[in-house]
Amino acid sequence: MVLPPGRSAAHVPDIDAHNDPELAAAAGEVAAWVEYLLHPHTHDGPRVYRDRMPDHPDGRDAEMPRRMPNLDEQSHRYDTVSVLEDFAADPTAFIRSAQAVSGVTDAAIDAAYAKLTQACFILPDLDSAGGQRGSATNPPGVHLSYPELHPARFDWAQMRKSWVAPESNYAHEFEGDFIAFQVYTENCLFVVAEHLVKYRAIFRKAAEDITALMKALTEIFARTSPYSGGLTFDLRSVIITTIVGIATTLISGGATVAKVFGVALTELLGEATKTAQDSEKKLLLENHLHLRDVAYQYLDGVGRIEQEAAEAVRNLYNELRITLDRLREDRKYSDKPLSDVTRATVPHIRDYH
């Protein structure tokens, strides 16, 4: 923790310390430093001595890393002002991007994800010995991310073996349409669950990057000196918008249950890291001559991360809408052979005759 001399971390509202502990801690440090630097009369640290009678009209401010007694004694000539004077009217600008990417409650998403992945026909049944019954199958020409695995189709076919009547054909047609409709429906739910994982990943990655820049900012605030080279931070990270396009699956090969939310999230972020070489962003934070210039560079960096996260969420929404519309369209069926009339409601046996 890098804090100003004699100061504690400030409380920053609207950042969930439970879900984003590192982000909350870094934001508290930044807020403490901003408050410290805005009031140079309360400490002996960085300040600007502004000449009231500069030799040149474009005379530069003299930024000092600490209090200078000889200049303090010349109060008739020098005004002491904050190195962050430009931000005095809006000091919350330094933590606003952090607030924007916090507040996503893992417990709420986890609960919703668990319900969405409680499927039936796309998960295999287990016999008493624990072995898998049935095998993956989909109607001809249908390509789904999560295929039919439950053995109900085979069980129903066995039940009709000795049933010789027109109703057997009706039942067969009904069963096929009903199962296909349900498999599409369950795929819809799994697609929503996939997008929940990506949604959380977007905010998690944005929080990580903003945290890194906040830590770099406080490090520069703590170690800056106009007489040294200072520090330069070069943050390389995944472009957040690429998370939307990363392929993900919630059921591993041979598994009988969907992955838990935390595992799915970790795997997605890991996959994003693998693709970083082709989609890497670079965020610099340098030790400029004036701390206000460091602050401007920092605000530009966190602002871009926030905008990138917002764009990713918009793209995620559009991708989800398009995918669900396609799945809903594909699950339409005709309960009358050779009929051009299709239905989009749940198949019912009474309509097959």
Side-chain angles (χ1 to χ4, degrees), residues 203-221:
F203 283 90
R204 178 69 61 82
K205 198 72 194 75
E208 288 178 359
D209 288 354
I210 289 176
T211 297
L213 279 182
M214 287 195 294
K215 288 181 177 180
L217 180 67
T218 55
E219 190 79 9
I220 288 178
F221 281 165

Side-chain angles (χ1 to χ4, degrees), residues 90-340:
D90 187 20
T92 59
F94 288 87
I95 47 90
R96 205 148 45 227
S97 291
Q99 291 171 319
V101 300
S102 184
V104 180
T105 305
D106 285 343
I109 291 185
D110 198 354
Y113 172 89
K115 289 181 172 62
L116 290 166
T117 53
Q118 291 299 307
C120 177
F121 283 99
I122 63 175
L123 294 177
D125 192 13
L126 298 177
D127 60 25
S128 57
Q132 181 175 315
R133 298 172 56 210
S135 59
T137 179
N138 275 322
V142 174
H143 303 285
L144 292 169
S145 299
Y146 303 98
E148 175 189 337
L149 289 170
H150 197 276
R153 184 187 296 270
F154 308 106
D155 292 343
W156 290 353
Q158 291 297 316
M159 290 169 58
R160 293 195 318 276
K161 260 188 172 182
S162 59
W163 185 16
V164 181
E167 288 78 10
S168 177
N169 294 330
Y170 301 151
H172 172 72
E173 292 168 3
F174 162 71
E175 292 161 6
D177 289 342
F178 178 84
I179 293 175
F181 185 93
Q182 182 59 21
V183 170
Y184 272 113
T185 301
E186 292 179 11
N187 268 265
C188 286
L189 297 178
F190 267 78
V191 164
V192 174
E194 287 177 355
H195 284 67
L196 277 181
V197 176
K198 291 183 179 183
Y199 179 81
R200 184 65 185 107
I202 289 168
F203 283 90
R204 178 69 61 82
K205 198 72 194 75
E208 288 178 359
D209 288 354
I210 289 176
T211 297
L213 279 182
M214 287 195 294
K215 288 181 177 180
L217 180 67
T218 55
E219 190 79 9
I220 288 178
F221 281 165
R223 296 174 60 182
T224 187
S225 169
Y227 309 115
S228 68
L231 303 172
T232 298
F233 292 86
D234 184 353
L235 172 64
R236 296 176 181 271
S237 183
V238 180
I239 295 176
I240 297 172
T241 51
T242 62
I243 291 175
V244 177
I246 293 175
T248 182
T249 179
L250 304 183
I251 301 179
S252 302
T256 60
V257 294
K259 301 169 187 174
V260 297
F261 178 74
V263 171
L265 177 62
T266 299
E267 290 184 357
L268 178 63
L269 289 171
E271 196 62 34
T273 301
K274 291 179 185 177
T275 64
Q277 292 182 349
D278 298 325
S279 58
E280 198 176 63
K281 71 173 172 231
K282 185 176 180 180
L283 293 170
L284 284 174
L285 199 56
E286 302 167 296
N287 189 55
H288 295 274
L289 181 62
H290 296 284
L291 284 179
R292 65 167 177 265
D293 295 326
V294 178
Y296 277 120
Q297 192 174 28
Y298 161 82
L299 291 173
D300 176 69
V302 294
R304 281 190 286 139
I305 295 170
E306 181 186 352
Q307 291 171 4
E308 197 176 300
E311 181 184 351
V313 171
R314 286 193 296 269
N315 293 343
L316 190 69
Y317 163 76
N318 288 329
E319 183 193 73
L320 176 60
R321 178 179 54 80
I322 292 169
T323 304
L324 290 181
D325 285 347
R326 177 181 59 78
L327 288 172
R328 292 185 185 117
E329 184 67 25
D330 288 347
R331 76 178 178 183
K332 288 183 178 178
Y333 65 94
S334 172
D335 56 36
K336 302 290 192 300
L338 305 179
S339 171
D340 293 331

